[in-house]
């Protein structure tokens, strides 16, 4: 499997010409990989595990993976399956829900920035500060409750938020954080199918919320917001991946391939010890060998 060929059609580093309609949620690029998808994903997971181990040992880079999507697009499943082989010590997952009172007393990026991964670790944001240009944009009433001074809430607020997000990501990238952003693009038809499956399966009832159906009524508004986000915040140092997600096996392969590709570009290796450390190592070995 050619990793670059798999991810290239979905990676956006310059969003100026991006159109969400160019991405078919059911697309698998004519792939014949479905029958091999479990085996291929297992190989990717194994490869990712080795790269993550070197990332952790080298302790220079950090990696931030951001996942955004409509409900039932498969964010949890992608995170679970793709990161299944990663050492828990080197990975952290943060899910962002409705802001708390404490979070509303800070700027909108505060709660996300305080959860950034340390060097050597992979941080995963299940939703993120991008919600502030998605759900908040679709539901203006939320913005009204964010305690912003009225004179700052202008017609340019979304443009300003895009600028702030881009500036933050540029800063992070210049300080050793690799940023990959994934929009799991599911179709409205497939979302309906998954919602019904949740309703029909008692073990999945807990995943469903009545609010999920009401949000579907704003589907077009959300698609317009997602397109605008991707158009305005894609960059070479913080690319978006618009991943077709009607076929779960395909979206998982694409996400895993994108993470592997990024890690392979970091020249990761295990730290090498210097001569004094080699002598200490030899002395320690000698002591152990002479123990009774």
């Amino acid at each position: 499997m050619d990793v670059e060929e798999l991810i290239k059609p979905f990676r956006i580093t310059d969003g100026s010409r991006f159109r969400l309609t160019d991405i078919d949620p059911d697309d698998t690029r004519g792939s014949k990989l479905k029958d091999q998808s479990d085996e291929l994903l297992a190989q990717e997971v194994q490869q990712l595990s080795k790269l993550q181990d070197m990332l952790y040992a080298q302790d220079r880079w950090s990696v931030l993976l951001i996942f955004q999507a409509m409900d039932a697009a498969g964010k949890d499943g992608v995170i679970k399956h793709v990161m299944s082989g990663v050492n828990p010590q080197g990975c952290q997952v943060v899910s962002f829900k409705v802001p708390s009172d404490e979070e509303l007393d800070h700027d909108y990026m505060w709660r996300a920035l305080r959860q950034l991964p340390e060097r050597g670790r992979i941080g995963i944001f299940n939703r993120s500060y991008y919600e502030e240009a998605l759900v908040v944009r679709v539901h203006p009433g939320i913005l009204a409750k964010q305690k912003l001074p009225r004179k700052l809430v202008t017609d340019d607020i979304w443009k300003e938020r895009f600028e702030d997000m881009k500036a933050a990501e540029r800063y992070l990238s210049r300080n050793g954080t690799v940023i990959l952003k994934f929009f799991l693009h599911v179709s409205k038809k497939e979302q309906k199918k998954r919602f019904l499956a949740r309703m029909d399966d008692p073990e999945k009832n807990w995943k469903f919320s009545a609010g999920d159906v009401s949000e579907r009524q704003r589907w077009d508004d959300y698609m317009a917001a997602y397109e605008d986000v991707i158009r305005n915040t894609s960059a070479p140092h913080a690319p978006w991946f618009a991943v077709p997600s009607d076929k779960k096996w395909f979206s998982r392969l694409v996400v895993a391939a994108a993470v592997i590709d990024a890690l392979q570009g970091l020249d990761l290796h295990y730290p090498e010890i210097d001569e004094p450390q080699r002598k200490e190592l030899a002395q320690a070995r000698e002591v152990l060998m002479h123990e009774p």
Side-chain angles (χ1 to χ4, degrees), residues 232-251:
N232 284 280
T233 62
S234 294
H237 60 273
W240 275 100
F241 293 82
V243 184
S245 298
D246 276 9
K247 300 293 187 292
K248 293 181 180 180
W249 65 267
F250 186 72
S251 61

Side-chain angles (χ1 to χ4, degrees), residues 1 24 50-51 54 56 98 110 140 149 153 160 166 171 177-178 218-219 247 258 267 270 274:
M1 181 178 62
D24 178 3
K50 292 180 180 180
L51 289 166
M54 287 189 284
Y56 186 78
V98 177
W110 177 79
V153 183
E160 292 167 353
K166 288 190 295 183
Y171 168 78
T177 297
V178 176
R218 298 175 179 270
W219 186 273
K247 300 293 187 292
D267 187 29
Y270 291 106
D274 56 23

Side-chain angles (χ1 to χ4, degrees), residues 183-292:
F183 170 53
L184 304 187
H185 189 22
V186 69
S187 67
K188 193 174 184 181
K189 179 180 178 181
E190 178 63 19
Q191 188 197 53
K192 176 181 177 180
K193 177 181 175 182
R194 295 180 187 180
F195 278 169
L196 290 172
R198 290 180 179 182
M199 294 176 188
D200 295 339
D201 185 347
E203 294 185 0
K204 294 183 179 180
N205 287 170
W206 64 273
K207 287 188 173 183
F208 184 76
S209 167
D212 295 340
V213 174
S214 64
E215 288 297 88
R216 274 175 63 83
Q217 310 310 310
R218 298 175 179 270
W219 186 273
D220 291 344
D221 293 335
Y222 273 108
M223 293 302 102
Y226 273 111
E227 180 176 277
D228 209 25
V229 162
I230 294 172
R231 283 177 60 85
N232 284 280
T233 62
S234 294
H237 60 273
W240 275 100
F241 293 82
V243 184
S245 298
D246 276 9
K247 300 293 187 292
K248 293 181 180 180
W249 65 267
F250 186 72
S251 61
R252 292 166 185 173
L253 287 178
V254 172
V255 170
V259 179
I260 288 170
D261 181 68
L263 290 176
Q264 287 178 330
L266 300 181
D267 187 29
L268 298 175
H269 54 79
Y270 291 106
E272 297 181 3
I273 60 176
D274 56 23
E275 190 58 33
Q277 290 173 317
R278 290 183 187 280
K279 290 182 179 180
E280 289 182 3
L281 190 65
Q283 291 171 356
R285 188 177 191 281
E286 189 70 18
V287 170
L288 289 174
M289 291 297 293
H290 285 84
E291 281 187 356

Side-chain angles (χ1 to χ4, degrees), residues 45-63 85-87 89-90 118-122 259-260 262-272:
V45 168
Q46 184 177 22
Q47 189 175 6
L48 181 57
S49 177
K50 292 180 180 180
L51 289 166
Q52 182 268 330
D53 195 50
M54 287 189 284
L55 176 79
Y56 186 78
Q58 194 178 58
D59 197 28
R60 290 292 182 271
W61 297 92
S62 60
V63 178
V86 172
N87 187 332
Q89 290 187 104
E118 303 167 5
R119 296 190 191 280
R121 292 168 64 88
I122 297 175
V259 179
I260 288 170
L263 290 176
Q264 287 178 330
L266 300 181
D267 187 29
L268 298 175
H269 54 79
Y270 291 106
E272 297 181 3

Side-chain angles (χ1 to χ4, degrees), residues 31-47:
S31 175
K32 298 179 181 179
L33 300 175
K34 183 177 181 180
D35 292 340
Q36 304 171 274
S37 60
D38 289 343
E39 179 183 352
L40 290 172
L41 183 60
Q43 292 173 3
E44 287 184 322
V45 168
Q46 184 177 22
Q47 189 175 6

